[in-house]
Amino acid sequence: MTDQLVAGIDLGGTKTKLGLVSASGKIQWRGQLVTGNYEDPAAFVEAVSEMLEAAAQQLQVRLGGVGIGAPNGNPFTGTIAFAPNLKWKGTVPIVELFQQRLRLPVFLTNDAKAAALGEKFFGRASALQDFIVITLGTGLGSGIFSGGRLVYGHDGFAGELGHIVIRPASNRRCGCGRRGCLETYVSNKGLVQTYHELIENVSQAERPVHAIDDAADVYARAKQGFAPAISAFAELGTLLGEGLAIAVLLLRPASIFLTGGLAQAAPYFLPFAQQALDDHVLEIFKGKVSVTVSELPPADIGVLGAASLLLKQQPGIETI
Amino acid sequence: MTDQLVAGIDLGGTKTKLGLVSASGKIQWRGQLVTGNYEDPAAFVEAVSEMLEAAAQQLQVRLGGVGIGAPNGNPFTGTIAFAPNLKWKGTVPIVELFQQRLRLPVFLTNDAKAAALGEKFFGRASALQDFIVITLGTGLGSGIFSGGRLVYGHDGFAGELGHIVIRPASNRRCGCGRRGCLETYVSNKGLVQTYHELIENVSQAERPVHAIDDAADVYARAKQGFAPAISAFAELGTLLGEGLAIAVLLLRPASIFLTGGLAQAAPYFLPFAQQALDDHVLEIFKGKVSVTVSELPPADIGVLGAASLLLKQQPGIETI
């Protein structure tokens, strides 16, 4: 009998990462595609399915099922509903589409919950009952473990830390349609916007020749010691810390793990986040929550967590 | 054999309510004392114990144990730690004190978690897995159920919604030592302070002769139609709604129940709370969370919840 692997799909606003994962959490094959290339969810499902089938054949393994982590992915309905960072509008029945195409068990959760599951089963959270994983990239997501179980809420949509209005007077418009959400400051786009605001205070002569396009550019300039880039990360850290303080007051996690593309720049923002966190919690809570960068590669954590939907008993959902 | 009842103690900053409760949640005897009369926790424990023993003797029942809900009461340590609204400073080993005096099983939780347990077992939340109970009075407490279990956090101190800094620029000092906490606006004291700020805009001639001392006075004036009192409740409602929005974004409860002395004034603030809640959550969440006043009497809900620590299997704590 051939070995069986399960597919983990980390469906992101920009890229979708695929993996074939063993029961012990080893990723035996990796693939990737550009999510935005697919106007239609069915075409996306077809492309992913073909890649997975080809990989399984090449490895001579059987595909045991598919786990998906996606923005606004809802485990209760099996759909992606109104995800601001995806092209697909309305409600996408992603579980049904994959089931019809592959005739396999398919489970769904949202991207940040998938990252939290990855940390729980394959990272440093295996012994923790109360922790939070924050995904920092296109948006800000949060996957919350409380009492050893994922927090889903009554409709599966718990964990929207990124959409807490952290600056009520702000003009920064969020993908969700409102203004001043935490994610308008703490995300790739938020970082770039803060940088552009800060550079206004720098004389034309002292500004770099090339304009900044994305968060990676700001990171590169910070590493070169360019003050506005360093300050942009400091402000991002302060806002992140304020947001974490809210989660800490409500949920008292023992640890917070950061992941996602932006997390690699943690040396530039984490000290500010820790300071702001301490400034915004009760005296007796100060300095008591560990905030660190996940040791799982950002490219793997979501794939592993998505695969865990099939590989591990799911904490928080009795009915799976 | 005589019947057995358990004692429920709702230990508050002002008053402590006692009850002897049957397994079905019937309060067979009620007592009350003024918490602030006892400088020393041991004297308080002695007075409560004497009242409970006398009541049990009078009813000819056996006392089966004691459940306590108290500000900053921690189920993991059995202590009350640094409660800003109590006279007793430092850490009070309340469970040990009662155990030594009464030689009975004693369990502790915090006051808002006790209210949530009361609503779960004896109120309208019996069928709900995800809900929040907000206590409005001396302070603002929150007891959170997620996935059918109480949220404790890693150290038992989860649920500090009242200490989220909702107005960073505010000068209102909180009992916790910081400024701008939600509870500096949404509490008895917060309401009175808002009233005093609003009355500054009223000409001396139009102000009532008697000064306002407490929240009950503001409530009485609102019922008389006095505009600054009505506006003070409106502002309280708006701030409450902003706070609830944060909890809704993170936890997605199906329902929120309000209790405590201030909850009786809900007609004057609840519409504003619901509006602010809708204004501060994602578009797809609007109008989807029920916010109502608990139907359990505020004087009973904490006593019932405290008693449930012995009467019911505790959801959220495996180790009891």
Side-chain angles (χ1 to χ4, degrees), chain A residues 231-245:
Chain A
S231 298
F233 275 110
E235 186 172 330
L236 179 146
T238 298
L239 274 281
L240 172 62
E242 288 183 32
L244 295 182

Side-chain angles (χ1 to χ4, degrees), chain A residues 130 146-147 149 151 153-155 157-161 163-164 176 178 246 249-254 280-282 285, chain B residues 130 146-147 149 151 153-155 157-161 163-164 176 178 246 249-254 280-282 285:
Chain A
D130 298 87
S146 168
R149 310 203 295 178
V151 172
H154 83 285
D155 59 1
F157 284 123
E160 290 289 358
L161 183 65
H163 293 289
I164 285 176
C176 76
R178 296 176 309 143
I246 289 172
L249 283 162
L250 277 180
L251 296 156
R252 296 297 300 141
H280 285 80
V281 294
L282 294 170
F285 292 173
Chain B
D130 298 87
S146 169
R149 312 202 295 178
V151 172
H154 83 284
D155 59 0
F157 284 122
E160 291 290 358
L161 183 65
H163 293 290
I164 284 176
C176 76
R178 297 175 306 142
I246 289 171
L249 284 162
L250 277 181
L251 295 155
R252 296 298 300 143
H280 286 79
V281 293
L282 294 170
F285 292 173

Side-chain angles (χ1 to χ4, degrees), chain A residues 247-271:
Chain A
V248 165
L249 283 162
L250 277 180
L251 296 156
R252 296 297 300 141
S255 284
I256 295 170
F257 300 95
L258 309 178
T259 188
L262 259 179
Q264 70 177 321
Y268 288 95
F269 67 77
L270 193 48

Side-chain angles (χ1 to χ4, degrees), chain A:
Chain A
M1 186 187 143
T2 51
D3 280 344
Q4 179 171 295
L5 300 178
V6 306
I9 302 179
D10 179 5
L11 198 169
T14 310
K15 285 181 289 190
T16 292
K17 292 156 209 141
L18 314 176
L20 291 182
V21 185
S22 73
S24 64
K26 203 163 165 230
I27 303 180
Q28 311 253 7
W29 170 87
R30 287 177 174 83
Q32 188 168 298
L33 37 73
V34 177
T35 316
N37 285 351
Y38 302 88
E39 295 289 332
D40 174 45
F44 170 82
V45 168
E46 180 58 34
V48 169
S49 299
E50 284 173 16
M51 284 175 76
L52 293 176
E53 285 176 334
Q57 196 170 10
Q58 187 199 333
L59 291 178
Q60 299 206 297
V61 297
R62 200 156 56 83
L63 197 56
V66 177
I68 309 163
N72 285 29
N74 189 314
F76 297 170
T77 60
T79 63
I80 298 173
F82 305 98
N85 298 327
L86 293 182
K87 262 189 188 177
W88 310 326
K89 297 306 162 203
T91 299
V92 177
I94 192 85
V95 166
E96 195 187 338
L97 289 172
F98 270 109
Q99 276 175 342
Q100 286 178 346
R101 170 61 178 78
L102 288 169
R103 305 279 162 195
L104 288 172
V106 180
F107 293 115
L108 172 70
T109 193
N110 90 354
D111 44 358
K113 292 184 182 75
L117 290 167
E119 197 66 39
K120 176 72 178 170
F121 292 120
F122 306 112
R124 283 183 294 142
S126 61
L128 299 179
Q129 305 301 305
D130 298 87
F131 68 94
I132 300 176
V133 172
I134 305 285
T135 58
L136 299 171
T138 311
L140 185 156
S142 57
I144 301 163
F145 264 80
S146 168
R149 310 203 295 178
L150 254 182
V151 172
Y152 281 104
H154 83 285
D155 59 1
F157 284 123
E160 290 289 358
L161 183 65
H163 293 289
I164 285 176
V165 177
I166 200 86
R167 288 287 182 270
S170 167
N171 274 322
R172 292 200 185 187
R173 187 170 280 284
C174 185
C176 76
R178 296 176 309 143
R179 290 173 197 274
C181 292
L182 182 59
E183 135 173 342
T184 65
Y185 291 88
V186 187
S187 63
N188 289 337
K189 198 177 149 192
L191 176 73
V192 172
Q193 187 164 352
T194 302
Y195 174 85
H196 282 138
E197 286 170 15
L198 291 169
I199 201 120
E200 290 300 315
N201 303 323
V202 176
S203 71
Q204 206 70 40
E206 288 176 80
R207 293 188 201 173
V209 178
H210 299 292
I212 282 234
D213 285 329
D214 59 20
D217 292 339
V218 183
Y219 184 43
R221 295 235 169 122
K223 285 198 284 190
Q224 290 158 9
F226 187 56
I230 291 171
S231 298
F233 275 110
E235 186 172 330
L236 179 146
T238 298
L239 274 281
L240 172 62
E242 288 183 32
L244 295 182
I246 289 172
V248 165
L249 283 162
L250 277 180
L251 296 156
R252 296 297 300 141
S255 284
I256 295 170
F257 300 95
L258 309 178
T259 188
L262 259 179
Q264 70 177 321
Y268 288 95
F269 67 77
L270 193 48
F272 301 94
Q274 279 165 324
Q275 183 63 50
L277 171 57
D278 276 354
D279 288 347
H280 285 80
V281 294
L282 294 170
E283 196 65 42
I284 53 168
F285 292 173
K286 284 190 202 310
K288 291 201 180 151
V289 185
S290 147
V291 186
T292 58
V293 176
S294 170
E295 291 172 7
L296 292 169
D300 288 355
I301 188 170
V303 167
L304 288 170
S308 85
L309 292 169
L310 290 112
L311 296 171
K312 305 282 180 178
Q313 203 191 338
Q314 284 303 299
I317 297 198
E318 246 55 273
T319 49
I320 258 180

